[in-house]
Amino acid sequence: MSIVGTRVVRIEDRKLITTGGTYVEDLREPALTGAVHAVFVRSPIAHARIAAIDTTEALAAPGVVAAYTAADLDLAPRNSGPVVEPWLAADVVRYVGEPVALVLTEQRYQLADAAELVDVDYDPLDAVASIDAALSDETKVFADQDSNVVQVHGGGFDEHAFDGCEVVVTQRIVNQRVAPAPLEVRGAACAWGEDGRLTVWLSTQNAQMARGAIAGGLGVGEEKVRVITPDVGGGFGAKIGSDPEPVVLGWAAQRAGRAIRWTETRSENLTSMTHGRAQQNTITIGGRRDGTVEVFRLDVVQDGGAYPRAAFLPTLTELMASGVYHFPKVETRSRVVVTTTTPIAAYRGAGRPEATAAVERAMDLFAREIGMDPGDVRRANFIEPGEFPYTTPTGASYDTGEYARALDKVLEAAGYAELRAEQKRRREAGEPVALGLGIASYVEITGGDASGESGRVDINPDGTVTAYTGSSPHGQGLDTSLAMLLSDQLGIPMEQITIRHGDTDEVPKAVGTFGSRSLQLGGSAVRQAAEQVISRAREIAADLLEASPDDLELNLDEGAWQVRGAPASGAVTWAQLAARADEGALSADVWFGDGSPTFPFGAHLAVVDVDTETGKVVVRRIVAADDAGPVINPLVFRGQRHGGLGQGIAQALLEVMSYDEDGNPTTATLADYSFVTATELPDFELVEMATPTTRNLLGVKGIGEAATIGSTPAVHNAVVDALSHLGVRHLDMPATPLRVWQAIEDRTQQP
């Protein structure tokens, strides 16, 4: 019986719940003995000229080893996309939290006092703290730019696009700024060796990409930098590659001649680590009163923050604009603006959740306008199974999908008709607690970076296996999934399989973990490497058994090679093969180069109670189908879905990184920034579906952000649905009690 598809307890967890993980903060490497500690002095003002920086008093303080400013750095400018981002601010600061100096001390406890002694003279400028303020161009974030709009994608709209539509609905929606807030904040340690190489221990999602960024920033070849990723306590996209800080630390370690350790505080993390989402979208949808949508238009304005580090994000929103629907005509445009706020970069879906939120809100608005059930409107416009592979009007090439089946399974499992009857009863009775039902049908692009991934499999002399993957897990259970795949292929028990990752010396070429690519690309690479090992082993076993290679089979139950149909003639174990094989004969190092993306999909139904007298929202049920193809480990898959559902609910109801008009973050601590907890989450009702893809060796699709992409609009639509009988047609996220109450009070704001 194959181990693949069975529930296997994660092999990563024993260490995590007993001795604990080893994170950057826990490192006790010999090279870090006597390391100094680092703190970045950060701007407390959103927008200001720097008149002067004086480090004299800080340098005289006890334990201070060095203090550096932009004037000390001899690094080439950093390319941050549409605008240049300095390593340390030199002339102007553009967001609260921007680093202006670096201080090194002998002891950690000396950091805060030393940072306070760095005297920075700021000359305040007007802040540009919102998308609307940026679009007005009254204040330029970059004085040498003609506009705060730094990137435009897509052409003009057809002014006659909606001519002939019986119904046209337009709405501006906000996909609010959120903080990734990983459990482990950012951290790094670095030391230069006698060989002239820099070793950086970094909390990152891809050591190899980080190596390239650090080497490029320092102006050295990649062979001069080694990046090691220990255990990583969450990334969510915000730890892709390397931020500017590790480059400055590497430079400072060389200048000071000392190893350096750095870990940011939680408040630094909330204000200085890149944020996500932050889009303002105008949706226009038109069609017939029978439910057929004829035209969909999406106009995206992306807040890039002070330095847009991922200006591509809105183009992904455009790519996925039409969602699961066969819209005859789709128009998109995106603009990226700079603001005096923390930079925006990839976060949990990176532009695709914003697309789903937009089109699913549009479908609900359209359904309400024509008086049709939102489920029926979706069915009338789904792409049919027989149309795949399907190319959307925006150029996405979907592999497989059964969108109507996913929705039908969810609505049937939820008892949708009975829920609508209960909703009607409450409304007719005038009950103050309204029932809301929110639907979201979604499709997600995974592995869409058009790259491959590395995989290496070594059979050790004792018959155990060491596998090396370019994917870099940080909580997803990838070690378990890869070990299961190898055990299934090689017939070697999982406990004899070791998965290695996150060291650029061990895995020189790799892409890493983001965009839900790890299993479909990293897993395929490991499988391909194992196939090559099996092919080589067959030849060696044939020689030992004095048989033709074509007559041999691998007995997976025993983990041994034998003559097909004649097991009594003898068998050769992996250990025996390894003992006889030349060094490296039972190893394979491959690059799985098929970068074709896959498109997981699903449907969610959210059931919420909304107290119309207080604005409080309670999520009663989430019924979800998330189709990511064949499931390697149902336990890991279930955990991935739970995490995504929880985060989607959090964005819909709670999370928002907000700024006042002066650009000061008002949610800069965990006392202000609201996380979801178990008390806000229901038991998730998971509906199973598995539609394979042909675009990788495993038939799998990514799952990491899929549940998030479905649950966020489902919960949001449910809240609006609960209030629809009161005249509320739209509500920006998050649906906090105050926002819900204001929407009830001010119904005239709705079109």
Side-chain angles (χ1 to χ4, degrees), residues 686-732:
L686 304 183
V687 176
E688 305 303 329
M689 278 187 67
T691 307
T693 183
T694 59
R695 293 184 177 177
N696 58 67
L697 299 182
L698 305 175
V700 298
K701 307 181 182 186
I703 183 58
E705 293 87 17
T708 302
I709 289 173
S711 60
T712 307
V715 173
H716 184 252
N717 283 345
V719 176
V720 180
D721 180 62
L723 302 175
S724 61
H725 71 294
L726 300 176
V728 175
R729 299 179 59 191
H730 180 69
L731 177 73
D732 281 332

Coordinates of all heavy atoms in Angstrom, one line a residue, residues 686-732:
L686 N -14.8 21.0 5.8 CA -14.0 20.9 4.6 C -14.6 19.9 3.7 O -14.7 18.7 4.0 CB -12.5 20.5 5.0 CG -11.8 21.4 6.0 CD1 -10.4 21.0 6.2 CD2 -11.9 22.9 5.5
V687 N -14.8 20.3 2.5 CA -15.3 19.5 1.4 C -14.2 19.0 0.5 O -13.3 19.9 0.2 CB -16.4 20.2 0.6 CG1 -16.9 19.4 -0.6 CG2 -17.6 20.6 1.4
E688 N -14.1 17.8 0.2 CA -13.0 17.3 -0.6 C -13.2 17.2 -2.1 O -14.3 16.8 -2.5 CB -12.6 15.8 -0.1 CG -12.4 15.7 1.5 CD -11.3 16.7 2.0 OE1 -10.4 16.9 1.2 OE2 -11.4 17.1 3.1
M689 N -12.2 17.6 -2.8 CA -12.1 17.5 -4.3 C -10.7 17.4 -4.7 O -9.8 18.0 -4.0 CB -12.8 18.8 -4.9 CG -14.3 18.7 -5.1 SD -14.9 20.1 -6.0 CE -14.3 19.7 -7.7
A690 N -10.4 16.7 -5.7 CA -9.0 16.6 -6.2 C -9.0 16.4 -7.7 O -9.3 15.3 -8.2 CB -8.3 15.4 -5.5
T691 N -8.7 17.5 -8.4 CA -8.6 17.5 -9.9 C -7.2 17.6 -10.3 O -6.6 18.6 -10.1 CB -9.5 18.6 -10.5 OG1 -10.8 18.6 -10.0 CG2 -9.5 18.6 -12.0
P692 N -6.6 16.5 -10.8 CA -5.1 16.6 -11.1 C -4.8 17.5 -12.3 O -5.7 17.8 -13.1 CB -4.8 15.2 -11.5 CG -6.0 14.4 -11.6 CD -7.2 15.3 -11.1
T693 N -3.6 17.9 -12.3 CA -3.0 18.7 -13.4 C -2.0 17.8 -14.2 O -1.5 16.8 -13.6 CB -2.3 20.0 -13.0 OG1 -1.9 20.7 -14.1 CG2 -1.1 19.7 -12.1
T694 N -1.8 18.2 -15.4 CA -0.8 17.5 -16.2 C 0.5 18.2 -16.3 O 1.4 17.9 -17.0 CB -1.3 17.2 -17.6 OG1 -1.6 18.5 -18.3 CG2 -2.6 16.3 -17.6
R695 N 0.7 19.3 -15.5 CA 1.8 20.2 -15.7 C 3.0 20.0 -14.8 O 3.9 20.7 -14.7 CB 1.3 21.7 -15.5 CG 0.4 22.1 -16.7 CD -0.1 23.5 -16.6 NE -0.9 23.8 -17.7 CZ -1.5 25.0 -17.9 NH1 -1.3 26.0 -17.0 NH2 -2.2 25.3 -19.0
N696 N 2.9 18.9 -14.0 CA 4.1 18.5 -13.2 C 4.0 17.0 -13.0 O 3.0 16.3 -13.3 CB 4.2 19.3 -11.9 CG 3.0 19.1 -11.0 OD1 2.8 18.0 -10.5 ND2 2.3 20.2 -10.8
L697 N 5.1 16.4 -12.5 CA 5.2 15.0 -12.3 C 4.3 14.4 -11.3 O 4.0 13.2 -11.3 CB 6.6 14.6 -12.0 CG 7.7 15.0 -13.0 CD1 9.1 14.5 -12.5 CD2 7.4 14.4 -14.4
L698 N 3.8 15.2 -10.4 CA 2.9 14.7 -9.3 C 1.5 14.9 -9.5 O 0.6 14.4 -8.8 CB 3.3 15.4 -8.0 CG 4.8 15.3 -7.6 CD1 5.1 16.1 -6.3 CD2 5.2 13.8 -7.3
G699 N 1.1 15.8 -10.5 CA -0.3 16.1 -10.7 C -0.9 17.1 -9.7 O -2.1 17.3 -9.7
V700 N 0.0 17.7 -8.9 CA -0.5 18.5 -7.8 C -0.5 20.0 -8.2 O 0.2 20.4 -9.1 CB 0.4 18.3 -6.5 CG1 0.3 16.9 -6.0 CG2 1.8 18.7 -6.8
K701 N -1.3 20.7 -7.5 CA -1.3 22.2 -7.6 C -1.0 22.8 -6.2 O -1.1 22.1 -5.2 CB -2.7 22.6 -8.0 CG -3.2 21.9 -9.3 CD -4.6 22.5 -9.7 CE -5.1 21.8 -10.9 NZ -6.4 22.3 -11.4
G702 N -0.6 24.0 -6.2 CA -0.3 24.7 -4.9 C -1.5 24.9 -4.1 O -2.6 24.9 -4.6
I703 N -1.3 25.0 -2.7 CA -2.5 25.2 -1.8 C -2.2 26.3 -0.9 O -3.2 26.8 -0.3 CB -2.8 23.9 -1.1 CG1 -4.0 24.1 -0.2 CG2 -1.6 23.5 -0.2 CD1 -5.3 24.4 -0.9
G704 N -1.0 26.8 -0.7 CA -0.7 27.7 0.4 C -1.6 28.8 0.7 O -2.1 29.0 1.8
E705 N -1.9 29.6 -0.4 CA -2.8 30.8 -0.2 C -4.2 30.5 -0.7 O -5.1 31.4 -0.5 CB -2.2 32.0 -1.0 CG -0.9 32.5 -0.4 CD 0.3 31.7 -1.0 OE1 0.1 31.1 -2.1 OE2 1.4 31.8 -0.4
A706 N -4.5 29.4 -1.2 CA -5.8 29.2 -1.9 C -7.0 29.4 -0.9 O -7.9 30.1 -1.2 CB -5.9 27.8 -2.4
A707 N -6.9 28.8 0.3 CA -8.0 28.9 1.3 C -8.1 30.4 1.7 O -9.3 30.9 1.9 CB -7.7 28.1 2.5
T708 N -7.0 31.1 1.8 CA -7.1 32.6 2.1 C -7.9 33.3 1.0 O -8.7 34.2 1.3 CB -5.7 33.2 2.2 OG1 -5.0 32.5 3.2 CG2 -5.7 34.6 2.6
I709 N -7.5 33.0 -0.2 CA -8.1 33.7 -1.4 C -9.6 33.4 -1.4 O -10.4 34.3 -1.8 CB -7.5 33.2 -2.7 CG1 -6.0 33.7 -2.7 CG2 -8.2 33.6 -3.9 CD1 -5.2 33.2 -3.9
G710 N -10.1 32.3 -1.0 CA -11.5 32.0 -1.0 C -12.3 32.5 0.2 O -13.4 33.1 0.1
S711 N -11.6 32.4 1.4 CA -12.4 32.8 2.6 C -12.5 34.3 2.8 O -13.5 34.7 3.4 CB -11.7 32.1 3.8 OG -10.4 32.6 4.0
T712 N -11.5 35.1 2.4 CA -11.6 36.5 2.6 C -12.9 37.1 1.9 O -13.7 37.7 2.6 CB -10.3 37.2 2.1 OG1 -9.2 36.6 2.7 CG2 -10.3 38.7 2.5
P713 N -13.1 36.9 0.6 CA -14.3 37.5 0.0 C -15.5 36.8 0.5 O -16.6 37.4 0.6 CB -14.1 37.3 -1.5 CG -13.1 36.2 -1.6 CD -12.2 36.3 -0.4
A714 N -15.5 35.5 0.8 CA -16.7 34.8 1.3 C -17.2 35.5 2.6 O -18.4 35.7 2.7 CB -16.4 33.3 1.5
V715 N -16.3 35.7 3.6 CA -16.7 36.3 4.8 C -17.2 37.7 4.6 O -18.2 38.2 5.1 CB -15.6 36.2 5.8 CG1 -15.9 37.0 7.1 CG2 -15.3 34.8 6.2
H716 N -16.4 38.5 3.8 CA -16.8 39.9 3.5 C -18.2 39.9 2.8 O -19.0 40.7 3.2 CB -15.8 40.5 2.6 CG -16.0 42.0 2.4 ND1 -16.4 42.4 1.2 CD2 -16.0 43.0 3.2 CE1 -16.6 43.8 1.2 NE2 -16.3 44.1 2.5
N717 N -18.4 39.1 1.8 CA -19.7 39.1 1.1 C -20.8 38.7 2.1 O -21.9 39.2 2.0 CB -19.7 38.1 0.0 CG -18.9 38.6 -1.2 OD1 -18.7 39.8 -1.3 ND2 -18.6 37.8 -2.2
A718 N -20.5 37.8 3.1 CA -21.5 37.4 4.0 C -22.0 38.5 4.9 O -23.1 38.7 5.2 CB -21.0 36.2 4.9
V719 N -21.0 39.4 5.3 CA -21.4 40.5 6.2 C -22.2 41.5 5.4 O -23.3 42.0 5.9 CB -20.1 41.2 6.7 CG1 -20.5 42.5 7.5 CG2 -19.3 40.3 7.5
V720 N -21.9 41.7 4.1 CA -22.7 42.7 3.3 C -24.1 42.0 3.1 O -25.1 42.7 3.1 CB -22.0 43.0 2.0 CG1 -22.8 43.9 1.2 CG2 -20.6 43.6 2.3
D721 N -24.1 40.7 2.8 CA -25.4 40.1 2.6 C -26.3 40.2 3.8 O -27.5 40.4 3.7 CB -25.1 38.6 2.3 CG -26.4 37.8 2.0 OD1 -27.1 38.2 1.1 OD2 -26.7 36.9 2.8
A722 N -25.7 40.1 5.0 CA -26.5 40.2 6.2 C -27.1 41.6 6.4 O -28.2 41.7 6.9 CB -25.6 39.9 7.5
L723 N -26.5 42.6 5.8 CA -27.0 44.0 6.0 C -27.7 44.4 4.7 O -28.2 45.6 4.7 CB -25.8 44.9 6.2 CG -24.9 44.6 7.4 CD1 -23.7 45.5 7.4 CD2 -25.7 44.7 8.7
S724 N -27.9 43.6 3.7 CA -28.5 44.0 2.5 C -29.9 44.5 2.6 O -30.4 45.4 1.9 CB -28.3 43.0 1.4 OG -29.0 41.8 1.8
H725 N -30.6 43.8 3.5 CA -32.0 44.2 3.7 C -32.2 45.6 4.4 O -33.3 46.1 4.4 CB -32.8 43.1 4.5 CG -32.4 43.1 6.0 ND1 -31.1 42.8 6.4 CD2 -33.1 43.4 7.1 CE1 -31.1 42.8 7.7 NE2 -32.3 43.2 8.2
L726 N -31.1 46.1 4.9 CA -31.1 47.4 5.5 C -30.7 48.5 4.5 O -30.6 49.7 4.8 CB -30.2 47.5 6.7 CG -30.5 46.5 7.9 CD1 -29.5 46.7 9.0 CD2 -31.9 46.8 8.4
G727 N -30.3 48.1 3.3 CA -29.9 49.0 2.2 C -28.4 49.1 2.1 O -28.0 49.9 1.2
V728 N -27.6 48.4 2.8 CA -26.2 48.4 2.7 C -25.8 47.5 1.6 O -26.1 46.3 1.6 CB -25.5 48.0 4.0 CG1 -24.0 47.9 3.9 CG2 -25.9 48.9 5.2
R729 N -25.1 48.1 0.6 CA -24.6 47.3 -0.5 C -23.1 47.0 -0.6 O -22.6 46.1 -1.3 CB -25.0 48.0 -1.8 CG -26.5 48.2 -2.0 CD -26.8 48.9 -3.3 NE -26.3 48.2 -4.4 CZ -26.3 48.7 -5.7 NH1 -26.7 49.9 -5.9 NH2 -25.9 48.0 -6.7
H730 N -22.4 47.8 0.2 CA -21.0 47.6 0.2 C -20.4 48.0 1.5 O -20.9 48.9 2.2 CB -20.3 48.5 -0.9 CG -18.8 48.3 -1.0 ND1 -18.2 47.2 -1.4 CD2 -17.8 49.2 -0.7 CE1 -16.9 47.3 -1.3 NE2 -16.7 48.5 -0.9
L731 N -19.2 47.4 1.8 CA -18.5 47.7 3.1 C -17.1 47.4 2.9 O -16.7 46.3 2.5 CB -19.1 46.9 4.2 CG -18.4 47.0 5.6 CD1 -18.8 48.3 6.2 CD2 -18.9 45.9 6.5
D732 N -16.2 48.3 3.1 CA -14.8 48.1 2.9 C -14.3 47.2 4.0 O -14.8 47.3 5.2 CB -14.0 49.4 2.9 CG -14.0 50.1 1.6 OD1 -14.2 49.4 0.5 OD2 -13.9 51.3 1.5

